[in-house]
């Protein structure tokens, strides 16, 4: 039977958003933040950035891999002039943060005298964000701000102010919307919590 292309798309969307639990490798996760809730939170902080940085020309620095989806949706809502660049960092092994943050792709833009907004998927202990800020500051930017999709206040161990937090979350392990468990789950449209 011939099914027109748009019908196929909406069939897969309906099927995926019906999922309330997902299994990845040895673990099960249950839905905790829906795509709609994420979208509303992203729109809210984008509006704040648009008003705070009106007249500026900031460079957003997206922290790969986890922030790719957030950065994409956030930038679509940014109406001021802006640029985007990428860094690649890794600190997690399995479901645990490690003290050892590795820089896999570094900065290569001219950040001197620019407004910088670091775009993170999640600030957990804060070790990664501190490492990135130290690296960015070496380029002598005008200002460095942080925009994060998720923030775990109970796990945070640093004093650095997080300028834009889309959603605060408990100290649980999350996947989806860019966040992974050993590389898997980044493609999920919603955010899921590890079930103990
Ligand atoms: P931090 O250095 O402890 O703040 O951890 C930050 C990085 O660890 C984030 O950028 C994520 O890539 C990863 N991370 C922290 N919490 C989670 C989680 O719940 N799920 C998946 N990745 C996480
Ligand atoms: Mg990250």
């Amino acid at each position: 039977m011939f099914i027109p292309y748009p019908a196929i798309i909406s069939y897969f969307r309906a099927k995926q958003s019906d999922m309330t639990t997902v299994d990845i490798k040895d673990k099960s996760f249950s839905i905790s933040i829906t795509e709609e809730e994420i979208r509303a939170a992203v729109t809210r902080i984008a509006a704040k950035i648009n008003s705070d940085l009106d007249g500026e020309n900031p460079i957003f620095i997206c922290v790969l891999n986890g922030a790719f989806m957030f950065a994409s949706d956030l930038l679509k809502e940014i109406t001021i002039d802006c640029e985007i660049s990428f860094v690649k960092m890794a600190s997690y092994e399995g479901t645990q943060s490690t003290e050892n943050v590795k820089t896999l792709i570094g900065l290569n833009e001219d950040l001197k005298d620019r407004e910088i907004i670091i775009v993170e998927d999640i600030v957990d202990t804060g070790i990664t964000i501190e490492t990135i800020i130290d690296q960015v500051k070496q380029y002598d930017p005008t200002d460095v701000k942080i925009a994060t999709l998720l923030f775990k206040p109970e796990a945070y161990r640093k004093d650095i102010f997080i300028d834009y937090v889309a959603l605060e979350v408990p100290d649980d392990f999350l996947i989806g919307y860019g966040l992974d468990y050993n590389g898997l789950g980044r493609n999920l449209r919603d955010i899921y919590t590890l079930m103990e």
Side-chain angles (χ1 to χ4, degrees):
M1 190 187 74
F2 172 71
I3 303 173
Y5 179 67
I8 296 174
I9 299 281
S10 55
Y11 166 75
F12 280 116
R13 286 224 174 120
K15 211 179 152 196
Q16 212 185 31
S17 60
D18 283 349
M19 293 191 307
T20 54
T21 64
V22 291
D23 294 330
I24 294 186
K25 294 186 176 162
D26 54 327
K27 304 208 183 299
S28 295
F29 298 83
S30 65
I31 196 161
S32 51
I33 308 171
T34 64
E35 185 181 7
E36 289 71 26
E37 289 167 328
I38 297 167
R39 188 178 307 132
V42 171
T43 302
R44 187 174 49 76
I45 62 164
K48 183 95 173 63
I49 293 171
N50 286 330
S51 105
D52 288 355
L53 292 167
D54 190 20
E56 308 288 343
N57 175 7
I59 303 182
F60 289 86
I61 296 181
C62 169
V63 184
L64 297 172
N65 291 332
F68 79 97
M69 211 177 267
F70 170 48
S72 168
D73 286 344
L74 178 69
L75 268 279
K76 284 183 253 177
E77 307 271 355
I78 297 297
T79 50
I80 56 172
D81 285 350
C82 64
E83 296 168 42
I84 184 160
S85 187
F86 300 86
V87 286
K88 184 163 177 169
M89 316 286 291
S91 73
Y92 251 61
E93 279 167 19
T95 62
Q96 288 301 311
S97 190
T98 71
E99 301 280 322
N100 178 15
V101 183
K102 281 179 253 164
T103 306
L104 306 174
I105 301 176
L107 293 162
N108 57 5
E109 304 293 312
D110 190 1
L111 308 182
K112 188 168 163 44
D113 300 330
R114 298 294 302 269
E115 296 276 344
I116 308 299
I117 304 176
I118 297 168
V119 181
E120 257 288 27
D121 52 356
I122 183 162
V123 176
D124 183 4
T125 63
I127 294 168
T128 306
I129 205 75
E130 183 177 62
T131 308
I132 296 166
I133 286 180
D134 286 348
Q135 292 183 9
V136 169
K137 283 194 169 159
Q138 288 171 14
Y139 292 83
D140 209 11
T142 307
D143 190 26
V144 185
K145 290 189 164 64
I146 304 164
T148 187
L149 175 71
L150 305 174
F151 178 53
K152 292 182 181 172
E154 294 157 33
Y156 193 54
R157 290 198 258 128
K158 305 289 174 186
D159 299 322
I160 302 161
F161 178 68
I162 313 292
D163 303 81
Y164 306 103
V165 175
L167 296 157
E168 285 196 356
V169 289
D171 190 9
D172 298 323
F173 186 73
L174 306 168
I175 58 158
Y177 196 75
L179 297 157
D180 72 304
Y181 169 50
N182 282 343
L184 297 175
R186 295 193 196 277
N187 53 316
L188 297 165
R189 311 173 76 91
D190 308 286
I191 292 173
Y192 294 75
T193 302
L194 176 64
M195 295 193 282
E196 296 301 339

